[in-house]
Amino acid sequence: MTGPRYRPADSDDAPRYSGPRTFMRLPYVQTTEEVDVAVVGIPTDDAVSYRSGARFGPEAIRSASILLRPYSPALKLDVTEHLSIVDHGDAPTAPGDVVETLKRVASYLRPLHEAGVVPLCLGGDHSVTLAELRAAAAVHGPLGLVHLDAHADVWDSYYGLRYFHGTVFRRALEEGLIDPARSLQAGMRGTLYGAEDEAEPERLGLRCLPWRELRALGPDAFGELARRVTGEQPAFLTFDIDFVDPAFAPGTGTPEVGGPNSAEALAYLEALTGIAFVGLDCVEVAPAYDPAGITAWLAANACHSMLCLIALARTA
Ligand code: MN
Ligand code: MN
């Protein structure tokens, strides 16, 4: 057989709801040989400030993802024809110790980057992105960043703690993991402690589009801007599910009302074509607050869109 080595199970042979839950019914294989993309769960939520539960995010996204089919009409692409994708299992964590978890996750992901594999990670709370950026930057150097979120996550500390889901991008800047000139945050909204909070990303040198500006811009212009900001060098895409309005994605730890709906959120993601993403994630899915499973469905589809972005960047 020609084409990618690893593909999802054939749903014509066995019904989608049968078999163990892997992402998109992909083979559970912990190898880097003949692999383009490794889906990795990062089940941890020790770094949250409000509602916990994102440690069950990977499990919920995997369960929801069994309904995903290979072809995206929006991006006109069958991901399984272009990419060899595996479910690489879960990264190791140290429950109760955020700093140690970050070390273990980065150590787990680094060999993937060294082998030229793109990790698509399922959080976990947003602190996991710092570990992902450490692993990616160790191999690729300082990265461009596209960050979709209701929050900028640039606090210096919270409760006196530096490693937290709200301090990720401040730490990433301090550690030289991202290039501020090639970074773009978008979707920020909700109440703040003061006007200075909204100015903080720009003060750190990050380009930041609050949701009111992103909404006025629209997906196509946003995609253009993101391509211009990130350039052609390696970049990272992080999608915090709370970017989406909690009416559509209630299963998350720190919901902020008045955001994009599901269709709009996917359109903003799918506008990010032509960017050399070497790492991607979908974080902050907390299934305990997601009684109808709608947040996990959206997260699974967002991950499918991200797979399409990887494939399109490679075929361009
Ligand atoms: Mn976040
Ligand atoms: Mn957030």
Side-chain angles (χ1 to χ4, degrees), residues 150-151 187-191 211-212 215 242-250 252 254-261:
H151 315 96
M188 290 70 212
R189 63 182 186 274
T191 53
W211 167 233
R212 62 180 182 275
R215 186 183 198 183
D242 71 32
F243 171 69
V244 187
D245 194 287
F248 299 86
T252 194
T254 322
E256 302 291 349
V257 302
N261 65 29

Side-chain angles (χ1 to χ4, degrees), residues 126 147-153 165-166 168-169 240 242 283-284:
H126 215 157
H147 171 203
L148 294 171
D149 197 328
H151 315 96
D153 294 347
H165 75 156
V168 180
F169 300 98
D240 183 328
D242 71 32
V283 299
E284 297 281 353

